[in-house]
Amino acid sequence: MTAMRWITLPLLCAALWLTGCASTRLVDSDVQSFSQLAGAPARPTYDFERLPSQQALGAQQSAVEAQARQALAKVGLRQDSAAPFYRVQAHARIDLQAYPDYWDGPGWGWGGWGGGRGFYGGLSMRFPPPTLYRREVGLILREAASGTVVYETRAVHEGVWSDNPAVFAAMFDAALNGFPAPPTGPRRIVLEIPR
């Protein structure tokens, strides 16, 4: 009975650990930021500014700005349409493509596994490859009075997850990592989000 308990306990711990891992996932974003800010803004207020192409998007652009608003709040900036110190342009885009080299990778054969010519009886099956989502988000902050750009940042992520709102929200957080004085050069930011 004691031996069975010693075997069961590690298996139970491993199952709990795997369950915990399965409830979250990682969003890795390639980020590059440029800042002209010497420190935290003295007047941390902003309002969104839309390009004509963004104005045409209506509700889609409003959803992008809602996600950007949450990320901006986390770094101490608050929206104030009446007296903004900054004007913020937010953008998000997504490109869909077939996962590269999905069927040509190691271990896959034509129509089956293992390099064969199909399954038993010559049956050949091919399923569509998973979709690869390439997402990009970006923010530009300008001083409202002068129009001078003081902060520019963007984040890029590629993955197979299709839930855009959760992924875009994490990407805006990644894009503002280090605000107002981010490291120079490209960097990778990895954030954990619920599955």
Side-chain angles (χ1 to χ4, degrees):
M1 187 68 167
T2 305
M4 185 62 138
R5 192 175 294 157
W6 283 110
I7 293 171
T8 305
L9 184 60
L11 289 175
L12 180 61
C13 290
L16 288 172
W17 180 78
L18 288 172
T19 302
C21 291
S23 64
T24 61
R25 61 196 154 112
L26 301 178
V27 176
D28 55 335
S29 298
D30 294 318
V31 176
Q32 190 158 17
S33 306
F34 304 90
S35 179
Q36 300 296 318
L37 297 170
R43 290 178 50 201
T45 59
Y46 72 91
D47 197 17
F48 286 110
E49 175 179 76
R50 294 184 181 183
L51 298 170
S53 59
Q54 294 173 324
Q55 292 172 17
L57 293 174
Q60 289 177 319
Q61 183 64 22
S62 295
V64 168
E65 290 169 1
Q67 293 169 327
R69 184 181 300 112
Q70 293 175 2
L72 288 162
K74 291 177 185 177
V75 297
L77 297 174
R78 61 184 171 81
Q79 188 172 11
D80 182 351
S81 300
F85 188 75
Y86 297 110
R87 296 281 181 196
V88 176
Q89 283 181 2
H91 80 267
R93 62 174 289 168
I94 182 167
D95 296 317
L96 308 178
Q97 54 191 355
Y99 201 89
D101 301 326
Y102 182 73
W103 291 110
D104 297 327
W108 289 103
W110 180 81
W113 290 278
R117 297 287 295 172
F119 295 105
Y120 289 109
L123 176 65
S124 176
M125 294 181 64
R126 287 180 66 112
F127 299 100
T131 300
L132 180 67
Y133 297 85
R134 186 186 187 278
R135 296 177 177 90
E136 178 182 318
V137 302
L139 293 164
I140 296 175
L141 278 72
R142 289 183 173 85
E143 289 183 355
S146 66
T148 303
V149 174
V150 294
Y151 200 87
E152 178 186 0
T153 185
R154 75 180 197 113
V156 176
H157 167 76
E158 290 186 349
V160 296
W161 302 104
S162 61
D163 54 340
N164 292 325
V167 177
F168 277 135
M171 292 176 66
F172 274 117
D173 286 342
L176 285 167
N177 180 272
F179 180 88
T184 58
R187 63 197 190 278
R188 176 157 287 196
I189 305 295
V190 181
L191 297 177
E192 190 175 89
I193 65 172
R195 187 173 291 274

